[in-house]
C-alpha cells in the first residue's frame, strides 16, 4: 500500500526483509548507536510477548509491528533519519541467526564500539538455549516483522518527520535533535569532521547545553521559564530545541562576539570568540559555540593538572552532593560565565570566591535550599550581569570579596553542620566547631593567601 504526498513523500508498509534489501546508511549527523544491554532485553521482551500472543490465538495473528522508519533517499541509497537504534539491533539479531539480510553502513566510532559490545553480549546469551535471546532468535522471522517507512528525497522534509515523531517521546535528548538539525547545515565536505568533534564530547554535551540555556535565559531582559531539576527529558528537549534551533539564524555564518581592548593602534581580544549569550546561526556557528563551551566545561571542572586545593574543593565539596545540588548547578553557571568573559586564566581564583558567595546560602537561616532560593540570591545581587558586563576581573573579584555572611547560630545541625564541618576540614581552617563564628573570616584569609 503506497501513498504519494505532494509527489515528494512515499509512505509504505513493508516487512523487515524487504526493507533490508535497500542500501541503508546511518548519516554522520545522527546520534551514535547507543542502546544498552538493558534496552536490548526490553526490546526482546516485546517480541517474546508477541510470540506468546500468537501461540494463544486460533486465527492468524497480525505481523509484529516495529514502528515507523524515516528514510532520506539519495542516489539509490537510504539515510536512516529515524529508527536506527531498532534497525541496528535487528541487524545484530539477524547476524546471530546466520541470515544477515544486508549490512548497515556506519561512520561513527562510538557506534562501532557499542555494536561490538552488544553483539558479544547477545552471542554470549545465545550460548544458553533457555535464555531470552535464544528463545526470541528461534522464533524471529523477518518476513513477519512489519514497519511503516516514510521515504523522501527532500532532506529537510525527512528531518521534519524526524522531529515530529520525536517531539512527544523521550528516546532522543534535545542535544540529539540539535545535532541532526545543525549538521545538516554544514557543508558536506566538513560534516564528517564536525560529527567526530561532536562525538568526542558526547558525554558532556547535554549537561553543557542545559547550563548554556540557563545562562542565556537568566537575565532581567528575558523570561526565565525552564524545566528545572525535576524537568522531564521531553520538557528539556522542547526548550533546548526552541532556544538552539527554532530561533537561530538560518544563514550559515560562523559569527563570534568578543570583548576587545583598544590601545593606540593595537587591538587585543580579551575573551573567547563566542559569548555565552550571543545570537547564534545554524550549522557551524552553533556547533563551534557548543564545542567551545564544552571544552571550557571540561577544563574547568575536570582539569588535567589542578592544584591540590582546587582538587579538594571539587572532589570533597562541589561533587559531593549533600543538600547542595542546586548550589552546584548555579555555581557551575557562574563559573562558566567568568571563563566566557575572562578566559581560563584565574579560573581557580574565581572558583573559590564564587563558591563562598553562592554556597553561603547553606550557612544561613534556611534549613533547606531550593532552586528558587539560589536563583533569587543570584538575581538579587545581579551576579551574572556583574560578571558578563564587567570590564576587568578585579571588578568581579572585588564584589565577591566584599560580601559579608553570617552563620545562623540557631540551627547548626544536620545538613548544615555537616557542610560547615566539611568546609573546616577541606580548607584546613581550624575554626571553632561549636559556633563556627570564625569560619568565614578564616575562609576569606585562606582563599586570599592561596590565590595571590
Amino acid at each position: 500500500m503506497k501513498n504519494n504526498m505532494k509527489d515528494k513523500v512515499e509512505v509504505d508498509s513493508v516487512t523487515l526483509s524487504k526493507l533490508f534489501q535497500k542500501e541503508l546508511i546511518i548519516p554522520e549527523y545522527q546520534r551514535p548507536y547507543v542502546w544498552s544491554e538493558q534496552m536490548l532485553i526490553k526490546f526482546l521482551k516485546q517480541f517474546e510477548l508477541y510470540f506468546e500472543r500468537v501461540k494463544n490465538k486460533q486465527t492468524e495473528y497480525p505481523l509484529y509491528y516495529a514502528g515507523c522508519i524515516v528514510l532520506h533517499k539519495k542516489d539509490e541509497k537510504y539515510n536512516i533519519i529515524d529508527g536506527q537504534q531498532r534497525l541496528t539491533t535487528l541487524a545484530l539479531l539477524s547476524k546471530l541467526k546466520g541470515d544477515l539480510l544486508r549490512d548497515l553502513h556506519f561512520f561513527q566510532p562510538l557506534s562501532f564500539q557499542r555494536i561490538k559490545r552488544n553483539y558479544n553480549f547477545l552471542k554470549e546469551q545465545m550460548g544458553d538455549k533457555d535464555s531470552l535471546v535464544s528463545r526470541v532468535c528461534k522464533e524471529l522471522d523477518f518476513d513477519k516483522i512489519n514497519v511503516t517507512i516514510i521515504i523522501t528525497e527532500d532532506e529537510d522534509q525527512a528531518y521534519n518527520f524526524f522531529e515530529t515523531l520525536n517531539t512527544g517521546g523521550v528516546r532522543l535528548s534535545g542535544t540529539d535533535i540539535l545535532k541532526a538539525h545543525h549538521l545538516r547545515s554544514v557543508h558536506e565536505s566538513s560534516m564528517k569532521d564536525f560529527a567526530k568533534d561532536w562525538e568526542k564530547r558526547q558525554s558532556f554535551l547535554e549537561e553543557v547545553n542545559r547550563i548554556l540555556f540557563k545562562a542565556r535565559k537568566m537575565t532581567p531582559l528575558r523570561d526565565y521559564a525552564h524545566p528545572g531539576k525535576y524537568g522531564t527529558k521531553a520538557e528539556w528537549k522542547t526548550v533546548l530545541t526552541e532556544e538552539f534551533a527554532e530561533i537561530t539564524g538560518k544563514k550559515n555564518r560562523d559569527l563570534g562576539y568578543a570583548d576587545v581592548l583598544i590601545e593606540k593602534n593595537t587591538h587585543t581580544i580579551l575573551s573567547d570568540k563566542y559569548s555565552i549569550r550571543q545570537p547564534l546561526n545554524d550549522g557551524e556557528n552553533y556547533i563551534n559555540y557548543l564545542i567551545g563551551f564544552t571544552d571550557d566545561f571540561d577544563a574547568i571542572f575536570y582539569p588535567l593538572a589542578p592544584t591540590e586545593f582546587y582538587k579538594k574543593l571539587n572532589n570533597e565539596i562541589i561533587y559531593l552532593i549533600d543538600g547542595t545540588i542546586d548550589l552546584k548547578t548555579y555555581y557551575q553557571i557562574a563559573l562558566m560565565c567568568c571563563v566566557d568573559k575572562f578566559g581560563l586564566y584565574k579560573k581557580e581564583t574565581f572558583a573559590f570566591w564564587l563558591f563562598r558567595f553562592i554556597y553561603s546560602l547553606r550557612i544561613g537561616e534556611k534549613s533547606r535550599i531550593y532552586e528558587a532560593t539560589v536563583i533569587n540570591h543570584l538575581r538579587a545581587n545581579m551576579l551574572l550581569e556583574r560578571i558578563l558586563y564587567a570590564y576587568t576581573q578585579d571588578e568581579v573579584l572585588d564584589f565577591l570579596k566584599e560580601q559579608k555572611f553570617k552563620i545562623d547560630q540557631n540551627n547548626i545541625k544536620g545538613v548544615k553542620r555537616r557542610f560547615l564541618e566539611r568546609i573546616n576540614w577541606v580548607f584546613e581552617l581550624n575554626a571553632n566547631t561549636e559556633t563556627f563564628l570564625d569560619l568565614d573570616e578564616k575562609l576569606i584569609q585562606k582563599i586570599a593567601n592561596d590565590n595571590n
Side-chain angles (χ1 to χ4, degrees):
M1 178 179 64
K2 295 185 179 181
N3 177 36
N4 290 314
M5 300 169 56
K6 298 181 182 179
D7 297 322
K8 290 184 177 181
V9 180
E10 177 184 315
V11 180
D12 200 359
S13 179
V14 301
T15 64
L16 199 66
S17 296
K18 184 175 180 181
L19 175 61
F20 271 100
Q21 291 173 12
K22 302 181 185 297
E23 186 169 357
L24 301 172
I25 296 172
I26 310 296
E28 286 94 345
Y29 57 76
Q30 279 285 29
R31 67 171 176 172
Y33 175 61
V34 295
W35 271 16
S36 64
E37 293 175 3
Q38 290 78 9
M39 296 175 81
L40 293 180
I41 295 300
K42 182 178 179 181
F43 188 56
L44 292 173
K45 283 182 178 179
Q46 294 173 0
F47 278 103
E48 185 170 52
L49 181 61
Y50 167 78
F51 296 145
E52 289 175 357
R53 288 174 177 169
V54 171
K55 290 177 182 177
N56 293 332
K57 288 286 182 179
Q58 298 298 321
T59 59
E60 186 175 352
Y61 206 73
L63 301 183
Y64 178 86
Y65 182 61
C68 186
I69 307 295
V70 180
L71 304 173
H72 168 227
K73 183 179 179 182
K74 184 178 181 181
D75 301 329
E76 299 306 315
K77 296 180 181 179
Y78 295 82
N79 289 323
I80 302 172
I81 305 302
D82 189 48
Q84 69 133 317
Q85 306 293 322
R86 286 166 286 154
L87 290 181
T88 303
T89 301
L90 288 164
L92 290 177
L93 292 172
S94 72
K95 183 174 178 63
L96 280 171
K97 286 173 61 67
D99 56 358
L100 182 63
L101 305 174
R102 187 159 190 164
D103 287 329
L104 293 177
H105 299 279
F106 295 87
F107 296 96
Q108 298 178 341
L110 281 180
S111 292
F112 291 127
Q113 294 168 18
R114 176 58 69 177
I115 288 169
K116 183 177 180 180
R117 188 181 308 171
N118 283 358
Y119 179 75
N120 289 336
F121 168 75
L122 293 169
K123 187 176 181 181
E124 181 181 344
Q125 293 294 307
M126 283 285 284
D128 178 2
K129 66 178 182 178
D130 296 322
S131 70
L132 173 65
V133 178
S134 294
R135 296 196 305 271
V136 169
C137 282
K138 182 180 178 181
E139 301 287 340
L140 204 60
D141 184 346
F142 294 100
D143 287 320
K144 295 183 179 179
I145 299 175
N146 174 252
V147 293
T148 300
I149 56 173
I150 300 174
I151 302 174
T152 175
E153 295 184 14
D154 185 328
E155 188 174 20
D156 287 334
Q157 194 170 45
Y159 176 70
N160 287 337
F161 279 112
F162 165 78
E163 274 193 323
T164 302
L165 290 167
N166 282 284
T167 297
V170 294
R171 290 183 300 123
L172 297 175
S173 69
T175 301
D176 292 324
I177 298 250
L178 291 171
K179 178 184 180 183
H181 177 89
H182 290 287
L183 278 176
R184 290 184 312 110
S185 298
V186 172
H187 191 277
E188 191 171 353
S189 62
S190 304
M191 185 181 289
K192 192 170 184 178
D193 289 335
F194 277 112
K196 286 181 178 178
D197 287 340
W198 185 287
E199 190 176 318
K200 288 176 185 176
R201 299 160 177 84
Q202 187 75 33
S203 59
F204 289 140
L205 293 178
E206 179 74 11
E207 183 176 4
V208 173
N209 255 330
R210 294 185 183 190
I211 287 175
L212 294 173
F213 172 84
K214 290 181 178 183
R216 291 168 71 88
K217 296 281 279 185
M218 195 173 166
T219 164
L221 301 178
R222 299 186 71 179
D223 176 26
Y224 188 53
H226 73 292
K229 69 178 180 182
Y230 297 116
T232 65
K233 290 182 180 179
E235 289 171 333
W236 270 108
K237 182 193 302 183
T238 298
V239 298
L240 290 180
T241 53
E242 178 184 358
E243 179 72 15
F244 295 121
E246 293 176 18
I247 66 172
T248 48
K250 301 311 168 188
K251 293 183 178 179
N252 190 13
R253 299 181 64 197
D254 187 14
L255 303 178
Y257 297 76
D259 290 336
V260 178
L261 176 65
I262 303 173
E263 184 177 9
K264 293 184 179 180
N265 295 322
T266 63
H267 295 67
T268 305
I269 298 177
L270 299 178
S271 57
D272 289 341
K273 176 179 177 181
Y274 303 100
S275 296
I276 207 162
R277 289 178 175 170
Q278 73 165 70
L280 294 166
N281 291 316
D282 280 355
E284 292 185 22
N285 192 219
Y286 166 76
I287 295 172
N288 285 331
Y289 167 87
L290 177 61
I291 286 175
F293 279 108
T294 302
D295 288 345
D296 286 343
F297 180 85
D298 192 13
I300 296 166
F301 302 110
Y302 302 93
L304 293 176
T307 63
E308 193 62 30
F309 196 18
Y310 188 56
K311 185 191 298 183
K312 287 182 72 175
L313 172 68
N314 283 326
N315 294 343
E316 304 297 341
I317 298 180
I318 303 300
Y319 301 142
L320 189 68
I321 303 303
D322 185 8
T324 56
I325 181 64
D326 294 314
L327 295 169
K328 173 194 171 188
T329 298
Y330 288 89
Y331 161 80
Q332 288 181 321
I333 292 171
L335 191 48
M336 287 281 283
C337 285
C338 285
V339 170
D340 168 39
K341 186 69 178 181
F342 304 111
L344 290 166
Y345 177 64
K346 282 196 173 181
K347 73 174 186 296
E348 293 191 10
T349 301
F350 279 116
F352 290 115
W353 289 111
L354 284 171
F355 160 75
R356 175 179 172 267
F357 177 82
I358 295 174
Y359 279 69
S360 66
L361 289 171
R362 183 70 278 172
I363 64 174
E365 61 183 19
K366 295 182 181 296
S367 58
R368 298 187 67 180
I369 304 299
Y370 298 97
E371 185 171 15
T373 310
V374 188
I375 293 170
N376 291 337
H377 179 53
L378 269 59
R379 278 187 155 177
N381 290 277
M382 301 288 285
L383 180 63
L384 298 191
E385 278 62 40
R386 288 180 185 277
I387 295 169
L388 295 173
Y389 297 149
Y391 289 102
T392 67
Q393 297 175 0
D394 288 340
E395 289 179 61
V396 179
L397 292 172
D398 288 346
F399 167 77
L400 295 173
K401 293 173 184 178
E402 290 167 0
Q403 303 309 301
K404 305 296 182 182
F405 304 113
K406 184 178 179 181
I407 297 174
D408 178 30
Q409 295 295 301
N410 298 319
N411 193 26
I412 303 181
K413 60 183 180 179
V415 174
K416 183 178 294 185
R417 170 165 284 280
R418 291 198 300 272
F419 180 71
L420 290 168
E421 290 175 345
R422 185 162 293 278
I423 291 178
N424 192 39
W425 170 68
V426 168
F427 289 91
E428 301 174 357
L429 301 179
N430 295 317
N432 184 327
T433 55
E434 291 296 322
T435 65
F436 292 100
L437 286 174
D438 58 344
L439 183 138
D440 189 49
E441 181 181 347
K442 290 190 173 186
L443 179 61
I444 291 171
Q445 191 62 47
K446 177 69 172 180
I447 295 173
N449 289 342
D450 282 49
N451 286 275
N452 286 331

